[in-house]
Amino acid sequence: MRSSFLVKTLLSLFLFSALAAGGSGLQPHKTFIIVHDSWQGLCAWQAVKDNLEVKGQRVIVVELPSHGGEGHLTQDLLMDSYRDKVMTAITEAGGKVILVGHSIGGMVITAVADKMPKKIEKLVYVGAFVPVSGQSLLDIVSKTDSEYELGQAGWSTDEETRLDSEHTLLATFFYADSLEGIKQLLINNYRNETPVPFSSKVFFQSKTFTKLDKYYVKTLEDTVIDRELQAKMIEASGITKVYPIQSGHSPFLSAPNVLSKILLSIIGYKY
């Protein structure tokens, strides 16, 4: 009896201490793997990465092929190239992950989840494209009545291996609501794109995708993927857990604190 009483007392003291310290001992600690958008790189997600790490989370932002300083564009770069880079990051991380994708990153994380569903704890789409099986990004865009603003961004190509744009025009669509200093940072770190992944179709087993725990952060002021198109993709993919955010296409730049709280709430973090 005395031993049982002592155990209960010690357990109560432990729980009280954890709660008194802000509950830090009871908070979830997860691994977030984040897939950035086109024409961007690691720096775009730095503020969110810092916010999550302060809360004890592990964060890996995957640098997609040809998006680093040493990279060069090639016509051989496919959606599969992006998928495989993320799969390698997940394998190296070990254990299950929270897989986050923005814009074209939504196509990538869907392809990844089909290949290694047991490694994915949650899929989080942030203002992202969500395909049905057999769709490419361009297929999704072509099936909506909404005006796709990127068509006005002044594209130029070089033998179909480079998709370039007037940097300030692209900034208007991707991070118009961000601070001027952040806009300049992204312009300074601008990367050309190959158009091939935009037309690469993503195939997956619908049963596998249906069983995954999926979330969508809906960017309400988005002029790249507007609310109408986001709503259509959310409905078609059967995503029921939707978090609206008052932001343009890149909330990790314009509202990083709000987005960080949404990501933490998705894993059950308590403030």
Side-chain angles (χ1 to χ4, degrees):
M1 288 290 292
R2 180 172 295 180
S3 176
S4 176
F5 174 77
L6 180 60
V7 169
K8 289 180 179 179
T9 301
L10 290 173
L11 180 59
S12 296
L13 287 172
F14 170 78
L15 291 173
F16 177 79
S17 298
L19 290 171
S24 58
L26 303 176
Q27 298 285 23
H29 297 280
K30 305 292 184 178
T31 297
F32 286 82
I33 290 190
I34 298 171
V35 182
H36 63 75
D37 190 15
S38 306
W39 302 284
Q40 295 179 4
L42 305 183
C43 67
W45 280 85
Q46 190 61 51
V48 170
K49 183 177 188 292
D50 291 344
N51 286 344
L52 297 181
E53 288 178 340
V54 164
K55 298 299 184 182
Q57 310 307 314
R58 183 186 182 196
V59 183
I60 300 167
V61 184
V62 178
E63 186 172 77
L64 294 177
S66 293
H67 287 73
E70 77 295 341
H72 63 279
L73 293 178
T74 169
Q75 199 167 5
D76 296 330
L77 190 64
L78 306 172
M79 178 62 68
D80 288 356
S81 309
Y82 293 170
R83 179 200 66 194
D84 293 347
K85 182 71 177 287
V86 177
M87 289 176 63
T88 298
I90 293 173
T91 300
E92 291 175 351
K96 286 194 170 185
V97 304
I98 312 298
L99 187 56
V100 181
H102 170 247
S103 202
I104 197 174
M107 307 291 293
V108 180
I109 68 173
T110 302
V112 169
D114 180 62
K115 294 297 182 182
M116 47 194 331
K118 292 182 179 179
K119 291 287 188 179
I120 312 301
E121 182 175 339
K122 300 178 189 297
L123 275 180
V124 184
Y125 296 87
V126 179
F129 289 99
V130 188
V132 298
S133 186
Q135 277 188 325
S136 69
L137 187 154
L138 293 182
D139 290 334
I140 296 173
V141 173
S142 69
K143 292 182 181 299
T144 179
D145 296 328
S146 62
E147 183 180 6
Y148 193 54
E149 297 285 355
L150 284 180
Q152 304 173 21
W155 301 114
S156 62
T157 61
D158 177 15
E159 298 179 353
E160 298 185 348
T161 63
R162 180 175 62 90
L163 189 60
D164 197 5
S165 171
E166 171 57 46
H167 300 181
T168 54
L169 276 176
L170 198 62
T172 299
F173 299 121
F174 273 74
Y175 25 92
D177 53 347
S178 300
L179 297 173
E180 288 303 319
I182 293 176
K183 289 182 185 179
Q184 193 58 51
L185 175 66
L186 269 293
I187 290 172
N188 292 345
N189 287 274
Y190 174 88
R191 296 288 180 267
N192 290 326
E193 287 289 332
T194 174
V196 179
F198 290 77
S199 58
S200 299
K201 297 182 185 295
V202 173
F203 294 91
F204 56 88
Q205 297 294 321
S206 58
K207 288 184 179 179
T208 301
F209 187 72
T210 301
K211 291 178 181 178
L212 288 169
D213 194 12
K214 301 179 292 295
Y215 301 77
Y216 198 100
V217 179
K218 191 173 183 180
T219 44
L220 299 180
E221 299 173 7
D222 203 328
T223 58
V224 175
I225 311 177
D226 68 21
R227 283 187 286 183
E228 177 188 0
L229 179 52
Q230 290 182 66
K232 288 181 178 181
M233 292 187 293
I234 289 167
E235 181 179 5
S237 59
I239 299 176
T240 58
K241 301 164 185 174
V242 179
Y243 290 77
I245 186 169
Q246 209 68 40
S247 165
H249 189 56
S250 303
F252 43 88
L253 297 172
S254 59
N257 295 340
V258 178
L259 178 58
S260 299
K261 287 184 177 180
I262 289 174
L263 294 175
L264 288 168
S265 70
I266 285 174
I267 65 168
Y269 191 96
K270 304 296 183 184
Y271 281 87

